[in-house]
């Protein structure tokens, strides 16, 4: 039985009039399942299980949970990152409850977390955008097996999220139109994403596809060809090759694209489209598929030249 089924069984009570925090969270997570990426739900369920184990007011009715209870629990956890993520989940759950008339209060709406727990200092490493670091990264990518070389190249050049990358299927690639069309269901924001590819990427993909034993997924698991690679593999491989978490993460490739493209005064809206940031109102209003693709292609052209031409010249 998977976790969604378990929540459904627990929630076979659509007539609940008085919610506990646990039943509210169960209902909210079920509601959210079809609205966001599976990885987001997975993270929320980790937080849900933490609350079940550690929270002493999990079985209280939602109108009987007070700030003093929450503050005591947060102080006991004493982990800024966990508390921050928990509070987002609980705040959204209560907003859901208010919309559905389960309660009229939201004690999680304005908790000053930074006053309770000291926020850890964020380390900013300039090396991730330096010539030396990028050349080291390119050398690492080029030394991988063809499968990993293609995968890391797509992460670096196209700025894909890792969970999107591992869910790519061969039939999403159109070599004639030079695009990969990624369906909404595997995108974080549930909006279809059309990303341009260039001759370099096409050559790599064709070489890889022609030599690999592929069925459906572009990057299948080594253990089972009918399933995709574990997204966590990319982080583990970076660490094994002496790239620390302070230097780069798979998601950090996206930040690198954004930083360098913006520093070089590339069209900022096009950068947002390129990274599939369609959710902000200004970006959404400006977007249309035909114009969007041509502007995204300009981002790819600049980024490819920066990595493979400009850096080798300087």
């Amino acid at each position: 039985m998977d976790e969604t089924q378990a929540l459904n069984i627990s929630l076979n009570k659509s007539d609940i009039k008085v919610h506990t925090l646990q039943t509210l969270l169960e209902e909210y997570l079920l509601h959210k399942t079809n609205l966001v990426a599976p990885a987001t739900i997975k993270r929320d369920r980790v937080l849900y299980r933490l609350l079940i184990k550690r929270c002493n007011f999990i079985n209280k009715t939602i109108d009987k949970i007070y700030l003093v209870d929450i503050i005591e629990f947060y102080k006991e956890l004493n982990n800024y990152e966990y508390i921050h993520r928990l509070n987002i989940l609980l705040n959204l759950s209560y907003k859901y409850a208010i919309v559905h008339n389960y309660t009229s209060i939201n004690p999680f709406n304005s908790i000053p977390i930074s006053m309770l727990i000291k926020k850890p200092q964020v380390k900013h490493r300039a090396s991730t955008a330096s010539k030396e670091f990028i050349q080291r990264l390119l050398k690492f990518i080029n030394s991988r097996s063809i499968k990993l070389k293609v995968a890391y190249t797509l992460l670096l050049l196209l700025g894909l999220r890792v969970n999107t990358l591992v869910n790519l299927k061969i039939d999403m690639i159109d070599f004639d139109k030079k695009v990969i069309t990624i369906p909404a269901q595997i995108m974080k924001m549930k909006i279809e994403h059309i990303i341009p590819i260039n001759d370099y990427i096409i050559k790599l993909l064709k070489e890889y596809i022609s030599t690999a034993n592929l069925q459906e997924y572009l990057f299948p698991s080594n253990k089972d060809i009918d399933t995709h690679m574990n997204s966590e593999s990319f982080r583990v491989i970076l660490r094994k090759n002496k790239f620390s978490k302070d230097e780069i993460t798979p998601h950090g490739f996206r930040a690198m694209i954004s930083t360098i493209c913006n520093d070089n005064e590339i069209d900022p809206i096009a950068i947002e489209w390129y990274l599939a940031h369609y959710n902000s109102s200004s970006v959404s209003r400006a977007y249309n598929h035909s114009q969007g693709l041509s502007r995204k292609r300009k981002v790819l052209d600049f980024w490819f030249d920066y990595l493979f031409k400009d850096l080798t010249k300087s």
Side-chain angles (χ1 to χ4, degrees):
M1 179 189 300
D2 66 24
E3 202 158 354
T4 301
Q5 289 173 318
L7 286 175
N8 266 314
I9 290 171
S10 175
L11 265 181
N12 244 343
K13 353 171 168 171
S14 56
D15 58 338
I16 291 177
K17 302 298 181 187
V18 179
H19 270 288
T20 65
L21 181 58
Q22 180 173 350
T23 61
L24 172 62
L25 284 166
E26 288 169 349
E27 182 173 322
Y28 175 65
L29 288 175
L30 283 174
H31 162 77
K32 193 176 176 182
T33 297
N34 295 321
L35 302 178
V36 298
T40 303
I41 288 296
K42 186 176 179 180
R43 285 194 296 270
D44 283 349
R45 284 178 178 156
V46 169
L47 297 174
Y48 169 78
R49 289 193 291 271
L50 173 66
L51 286 165
I52 294 296
K53 288 179 182 177
R54 301 280 301 274
C55 182
N56 59 7
F57 51 83
I58 190 71
N59 292 313
K60 280 191 175 184
T61 58
I62 57 176
D63 282 333
K64 300 297 182 183
I65 296 172
Y66 303 112
L67 274 175
V68 64
D69 301 314
I70 301 165
I71 290 170
E72 183 180 340
F73 173 57
Y74 284 176
K75 284 183 175 178
E76 182 186 317
L77 280 179
N78 195 33
N79 182 305
Y80 182 89
E81 189 59 36
Y82 265 128
I83 294 168
H84 175 69
R85 287 161 55 198
L86 276 171
N87 203 72
I88 290 173
L89 174 62
L90 292 165
N91 185 23
L92 290 172
S93 299
Y94 263 76
K95 287 180 178 180
Y96 172 88
I98 289 170
V99 167
H100 288 80
N101 294 318
Y102 299 151
T103 185
S104 59
I105 60 168
N106 181 359
F108 297 94
N109 194 37
S110 57
I111 296 177
I113 297 171
S114 58
M115 292 184 181
L116 295 175
I117 305 292
K118 186 177 179 181
K119 185 176 181 178
Q121 189 173 359
V122 178
K123 296 179 182 177
H124 296 285
R125 300 294 182 104
S127 61
T128 56
S130 71
K131 171 188 171 183
E132 293 73 21
F133 177 82
I134 294 174
Q135 287 179 337
R136 180 180 154 216
L137 188 60
L138 290 173
K139 184 177 179 180
F140 156 76
I141 292 172
N142 286 326
S143 67
R144 300 301 95 196
S145 66
I146 183 67
K147 178 181 178 179
L148 289 176
K149 180 179 178 179
V150 173
Y152 276 107
T153 297
L154 296 187
L155 286 175
L156 179 61
L157 279 178
L158 303 185
L160 299 176
R161 293 180 175 90
V162 182
N163 284 307
T164 300
L165 177 83
V166 296
N167 277 285
L168 290 180
K169 296 180 179 178
I170 300 168
D171 62 8
M172 296 175 189
I173 306 167
D174 189 325
F175 290 117
D176 294 329
K177 293 182 179 177
K178 294 187 174 182
V179 295
I180 299 175
T181 300
I182 306 173
Q185 54 266 39
I186 66 170
M187 292 299 298
K188 181 179 180 180
M189 299 312 301
K190 302 299 181 186
I191 298 171
E192 181 185 75
H193 183 48
I194 302 175
I195 191 78
I197 54 179
N198 62 11
D199 291 338
Y200 177 80
I201 295 171
I202 289 171
K203 182 181 177 183
L204 265 184
L205 283 169
K206 284 185 174 180
E207 178 188 349
Y208 167 56
I209 292 169
S210 68
T211 57
N213 179 24
L214 304 179
Q215 297 291 332
E216 181 181 22
Y217 287 106
L218 187 59
F219 302 109
S221 164
N222 290 333
K223 295 179 181 177
D224 181 359
I225 199 169
D226 294 322
T227 62
H228 59 68
M229 280 182 72
N230 186 334
S231 60
E232 188 66 8
S233 302
F234 296 94
R235 182 191 64 82
V236 172
I237 293 167
L238 284 172
R239 299 296 163 263
K240 285 183 177 178
N241 284 273
K242 305 191 186 313
F243 288 93
S244 74
K245 65 180 180 180
D246 292 326
E247 286 182 308
I248 193 71
T249 65
H251 193 77
F253 292 3
R254 292 167 55 81
M256 193 188 303
I257 293 171
S258 178
T259 298
I260 293 174
C261 287
N262 277 297
D263 285 351
N264 284 272
E265 299 183 349
I266 304 302
D267 177 359
I269 293 291
I271 297 168
E272 294 297 291
W273 292 345
Y274 194 78
L275 297 172
H277 291 159
Y278 302 120
N279 52 321
S280 89
S281 57
S282 60
V283 171
S284 305
R285 281 197 301 269
Y287 185 74
N288 68 68
H289 279 295
S290 57
Q291 185 191 29
L293 185 58
S294 100
R295 287 168 74 176
K296 282 187 277 192
R297 198 170 289 284
K298 289 177 181 176
V299 176
L300 173 59
D301 289 344
F302 164 79
W303 183 228
F304 178 80
D305 286 348
Y306 180 90
L307 292 174
F308 292 93
K309 296 179 182 178
D310 297 350
L311 282 180
T312 54
K313 275 192 239 168
S314 56

